[in-house]
Amino acid sequence: GAVVSQHPSRVICKSGTSVKIECRSLDFQATTMFWYRQFPKQSLMLMATSNEGSKATYEQGVEKDKFLINHASLTLSTLTVTSAHPEDSSFYICSARNLGGRSYNEQFFGPGTRLTVL
Amino acid sequence: SQELEQSPQSLIVQEGKNLTINCTSSKTLYGLYWYKQKYGEGLIFLMMLQKGGEEKSHEKITAKLDEKKQQSSLHITASQPSHAGIYLCGADMFNDMRFGAGTRLTVKP
């Protein structure tokens, strides 16, 4: 199956710093990538939808100025958590929609990035 | 807020027992996905169901989608400790995917 990677897998940062998370589709082109956040003992919550070459669409309640998303190519999307605070500590997962997949909406998930803000 | 109702929230079973997890939507689904997740790790794709009445099996796990495409069940036969984890259903909402709250499965040896 298609592979999606995320980097880094874990990051610890100080409060007030910015952290960038990369999501790459390794063997397919992804016109759309999705960013999810998961808090302890909770399910995945969609943060934003990222389309290549256009602005991301954010879900209600997600601050677009805090969570900057860039989808510069068909294989790379980045999520930057700006001025991170301890409440931003979470598990962030990206997924990519396979343009050439059997199912139009087939998505493949990355392994996730655990962010800890001290 | 969750658009999918998943039940039960947690489940503890004795090894060898069967179990069922349910996922219900108020809207007709384009597709229903089942994933397994160990907490803090990525998602493991289990199965995808698209057609009303569809049923798929993989090893000891069977998933069904009802005719109306609004309810799905995941059934594990003769559970093993390796089945333990969090099971998530994901609904294809055409433009994105929404997830159920998850079911935490514990299998006691």
Side-chain angles (χ1 to χ4, degrees), chain A residues 34 36 38-46 49 59 91 93 97 103-107 109-111 114, chain B residues 1-2 33 35 37 39-43 48 50 88 92-102 104:
Chain A
F34 304 90
Y36 297 86
Q38 185 180 36
F39 291 108
K41 299 186 178 181
Q42 295 186 27
S43 187
L44 297 173
M45 297 298 293
L46 180 65
T49 302
E59 294 298 299
F91 189 61
I93 296 182
R97 177 181 289 162
S103 169
Y104 175 76
N105 258 340
E106 191 169 13
Q107 291 187 35
F109 287 83
R114 173 155 304 287
Chain B
S1 63
Q2 298 292 341
Y33 298 73
Y35 296 91
Q37 184 189 31
Y39 177 66
E41 298 184 14
L43 301 178
M48 176 182 69
Q50 287 185 301
L88 288 166
D92 185 338
M93 297 293 191
F94 188 69
N95 287 322
D96 59 53
M97 184 177 288
R98 305 288 169 157
F99 289 89
R104 182 176 297 273

Side-chain angles (χ1 to χ4, degrees), chain A residues 12-87:
Chain A
I12 300 173
C13 69
K14 292 183 178 180
S15 184
T17 60
S18 295
V19 175
K20 179 185 285 188
I21 303 170
E22 292 185 350
C23 177
R24 292 180 185 273
S25 56
L26 297 184
D27 51 0
F28 66 97
Q29 293 184 325
T31 54
T32 305
M33 288 186 173
F34 304 90
W35 286 96
Y36 297 86
R37 180 169 52 184
Q38 185 180 36
F39 291 108
K41 299 186 178 181
Q42 295 186 27
S43 187
L44 297 173
M45 297 298 293
L46 180 65
M47 297 175 66
T49 302
S50 166
N51 291 297
E52 186 263 340
S54 63
K55 290 183 179 180
T57 301
Y58 291 82
E59 294 298 299
Q60 192 173 7
V62 179
E63 299 174 58
K64 61 180 181 180
D65 294 330
K66 180 170 184 62
F67 298 98
L68 302 179
I69 292 174
N70 183 281
H71 193 162
S73 75
L74 285 173
T75 59
L76 173 64
S77 176
T78 59
L79 168 68
T80 301
V81 183
T82 62
S83 187
H85 290 285
E87 57 265 31

